[in-house]
Amino acid sequence: PATLVRPDCAFWVREALARAGIMPERLALEITENQELADPELSAAAITALGRLGVRLVMDDLGAGFSSLDRLRSLPFSAVKIDQGLIRGVRAAPDRTMHFVGALVRLAHDLEIRSVVEGLETPDLVEAAAILGGHGGQGFALARPMAGNAVAGWVRGFRLELNRDAPRTALGALASLWRTAHLGDGAAVRDADDCPVGAFLEQRGLAGGRLGEQHRLLHEIAVREGRASARYRAESARFQHALAELARAEASP
């Protein structure tokens, strides 16, 4: 931030882009969320000038500091990166972590900016982040740091097979449950066997067991009493807890 907020920073960037022959929208400048801007008004003016160039501004480490919401309100960000520190608690509290990350992804969506989830170091985290609606991800499950001349080959060989309607992991199923509850996609009142969580339970051979029974009951209550009912909320909390236990078991060595 100390460099980006200099009054002449926009001039430096414009000149550098011109010398390199790079279109402004190809450049993203990350502003670390946990560093305070000394003069908010001057900072906003300088950063807005960068935005007018067409350069993309990205808030790094959303959730790591104390000024996130005020910056999101006042500065022209095109994307936010959700801090990996929030993801680290996923093994201890999978359900709570999904709620928190999902809420931040939804906030970015409502502000019409892109969201990137950091700290994706296992395939189930990648799946969960995609189901929650994240536009992108960063972490070792996607790629390790590499030399610049290796990137093109990695891009050609990279494959990411995800199906938002058929999660393959318990963490993905938890994310799907959050999506149903908060994004109003109607999945909660479909037939229990015809929703993403139902597809996960069937694929795992769990549809006929305790988890399957809990899931069918949840759908029945949603149809009869609605998702706003106290009974639905209570049964949903119990089912989420059971899925969270399964997610913890999947993560165990």
Side-chain angles (χ1 to χ4, degrees):
T3 300
L4 293 179
V5 300
R6 291 280 298 272
D8 46 358
C9 183
F11 171 78
W12 299 339
V13 173
R14 184 174 67 246
E15 291 295 300
L17 289 169
R19 286 195 304 272
I22 295 174
M23 297 297 291
E25 60 268 22
R26 297 289 302 275
L27 177 65
L29 298 174
E30 293 186 7
I31 299 176
T32 304
E33 194 278 342
N34 58 10
Q35 291 186 14
E36 190 172 5
L37 298 175
D39 187 324
E41 290 187 10
L42 288 177
S43 300
I47 293 172
T48 299
L50 285 168
R52 290 198 195 102
L53 290 178
V55 171
R56 293 180 294 119
L57 300 178
V58 179
M59 177 188 285
D60 195 17
D61 298 336
L62 175 63
F66 50 81
S67 57
S68 307
L69 295 181
D70 186 54
R71 289 191 189 179
L72 283 175
R73 176 190 60 80
S74 59
L75 299 178
F77 289 107
S78 63
V80 295
K81 298 176 75 174
I82 297 171
D83 184 57
Q84 63 180 310
L86 301 176
I87 306 298
R88 291 195 189 107
V90 70
R91 301 308 173 195
D95 44 351
R96 186 171 179 81
T97 301
M98 290 299 99
H99 279 276
F100 203 85
V101 174
L104 292 178
V105 168
R106 183 178 180 182
L107 173 63
H109 181 270
D110 289 345
L111 293 173
E112 299 182 343
I113 59 179
R114 296 174 61 82
S115 58
V116 177
V117 184
E118 299 179 329
L120 304 184
E121 299 194 355
T122 56
D124 58 345
L125 282 170
V126 175
E127 180 178 74
I131 291 173
L132 289 174
H135 292 97
Q138 178 177 314
F140 290 164
L142 299 170
R144 294 269 174 173
M146 66 186 75
N149 59 12
V151 173
W154 172 80
V155 170
R156 285 194 295 270
F158 181 72
R159 297 291 182 273
L160 186 61
E161 296 180 4
L162 292 170
N163 184 348
R164 183 176 288 174
D165 293 325
R168 293 180 291 184
T169 68
L171 210 56
L174 263 176
S176 183
L177 203 62
W178 181 91
R179 184 179 178 86
T180 294
H182 294 86
L183 299 187
D185 60 5
V189 293
R190 296 179 197 161
D191 183 80
D193 298 324
D194 190 36
C195 82
V197 177
F200 164 75
L201 294 174
E202 184 66 34
Q203 181 256 336
R204 286 298 188 86
L206 300 170
R210 179 177 59 86
L211 274 176
E213 291 176 3
Q214 285 181 285
H215 182 237
R216 283 189 292 274
L217 176 62
L218 196 60
H219 277 261
E220 291 170 8
I221 297 171
V223 172
R224 291 199 305 264
E225 303 175 27
R227 287 183 293 171
S229 67
R231 189 175 176 219
Y232 180 86
R233 291 197 299 270
E235 289 298 331
S236 179
R238 277 193 280 273
F239 184 60
Q240 287 179 56
H241 179 72
L243 277 179
E245 289 297 317
L246 182 59
R248 277 191 283 267
E250 285 184 348
S252 299

